[in-house]
Amino acid sequence: MDLVRRTIELALENVENGGRPFACVISRGGKVVAESPNLVAQTHDPTAHAEIVAIRQACQRFGTENFEGHDIYVLAHPCPMCLGALYYCSPDRVVFVTTRDEYSRYYKDDRKYFELENFYDEFSKPWQERRLPMEHRPEEDRRRSLLALARVELVIRGEEAVPNRPGASLRGRPTISLPRLRWT
């Protein structure tokens, strides 16, 4: 099967059905294991990009978020959200059919903060200079609690050793005591 052609066909079918012209095919050993068009228009879900939907399908099917041994085909160079998901799932390669420059003259969106021409530049700016208003509210008790939860994840995965303590354990590993979360 020509997976680039399948990606294009999926995008064309999506346009015929009222969707946007984007699609993603995930393969292993040349066989399709998941595929999806962009479903934003149909679902009114801004995260329903083709890559995200296909990645979710494959994760559920295989019970993992690690895509080593897989190739991912997309119609257009991935947006930052999809690119982040692609980095996270770590396929062997991503094949894209068109570049941003090639499809930018055809792509129009009416979002308040999103224009394809300058959207990618926003990521290199410090958060204080981005068009999307953001504010940082550091609260030391909550920050320490969240960092402790992140450490627990490492302990559960066996990536961080902790001193033995009497009492319960996490999957047979020693536990650590966490500060209580106090949300107001």
Side-chain angles (χ1 to χ4, degrees), residues 37-112:
N38 177 301
L39 297 175
V40 171
Q42 296 94 320
T43 63
H44 308 291
D45 176 354
T47 68
H49 289 204
E51 297 93 326
I52 301 300
V53 176
I55 288 169
R56 287 176 182 158
Q57 287 174 5
C59 288
Q60 290 174 354
R61 180 174 178 190
F62 296 112
T64 183
E65 71 281 0
N66 183 337
F67 289 8
E68 291 177 30
H70 292 77
D71 294 326
I72 299 182
Y73 294 79
V74 295
L75 190 75
H77 185 275
C79 75
M81 175 182 67
C82 294
L83 189 60
L86 290 165
Y87 267 88
Y88 195 87
C89 70
S90 303
D92 287 354
R93 69 180 175 153
V94 174
V95 177
F96 59 97
V97 180
T98 59
T99 66
R100 278 196 312 265
D101 290 338
E102 290 171 330
Y103 72 78
S104 65
R105 68 184 181 144
Y106 304 106
Y107 187 87
K108 299 295 177 220
D109 213 322
D110 60 355
R111 306 292 173 230
K112 183 175 180 179

Side-chain angles (χ1 to χ4, degrees), residues 11-164:
L12 290 173
E13 290 169 11
N14 198 43
V15 171
E16 291 171 3
N17 294 319
R20 295 184 178 168
F22 301 101
C24 176
V25 173
I26 300 175
S27 72
R28 182 175 182 95
K31 295 185 184 201
V32 175
V33 297
E35 65 179 26
S36 180
N38 177 301
L39 297 175
V40 171
Q42 296 94 320
T43 63
H44 308 291
D45 176 354
T47 68
H49 289 204
E51 297 93 326
I52 301 300
V53 176
I55 288 169
R56 287 176 182 158
Q57 287 174 5
C59 288
Q60 290 174 354
R61 180 174 178 190
F62 296 112
T64 183
E65 71 281 0
N66 183 337
F67 289 8
E68 291 177 30
H70 292 77
D71 294 326
I72 299 182
Y73 294 79
V74 295
L75 190 75
H77 185 275
C79 75
M81 175 182 67
C82 294
L83 189 60
L86 290 165
Y87 267 88
Y88 195 87
C89 70
S90 303
D92 287 354
R93 69 180 175 153
V94 174
V95 177
F96 59 97
V97 180
T98 59
T99 66
R100 278 196 312 265
D101 290 338
E102 290 171 330
Y103 72 78
S104 65
R105 68 184 181 144
Y106 304 106
Y107 187 87
K108 299 295 177 220
D109 213 322
D110 60 355
R111 306 292 173 230
K112 183 175 180 179
Y113 300 112
F114 184 90
E115 293 94 20
L116 191 60
E117 302 82 39
N118 62 17
F119 185 64
Y120 291 82
D121 297 334
E122 287 288 301
F123 290 89
S124 62
K125 295 177 183 177
W127 64 267
Q128 303 93 326
E129 296 175 19
R130 293 184 184 146
R131 292 180 56 217
L132 177 65
M134 301 177 84
E135 68 180 71
H136 179 218
R137 292 187 181 182
E139 296 182 31
E140 195 56 32
D141 285 345
R142 290 182 187 169
R143 189 181 72 77
R144 276 196 310 269
S145 295
L146 292 172
L147 292 174
L149 289 173
R151 182 168 179 232
V152 166
E153 179 185 12
L154 292 176
V155 170
I156 290 171
R157 293 193 324 225
E159 296 175 16
E160 182 175 333
V162 293
N164 281 322

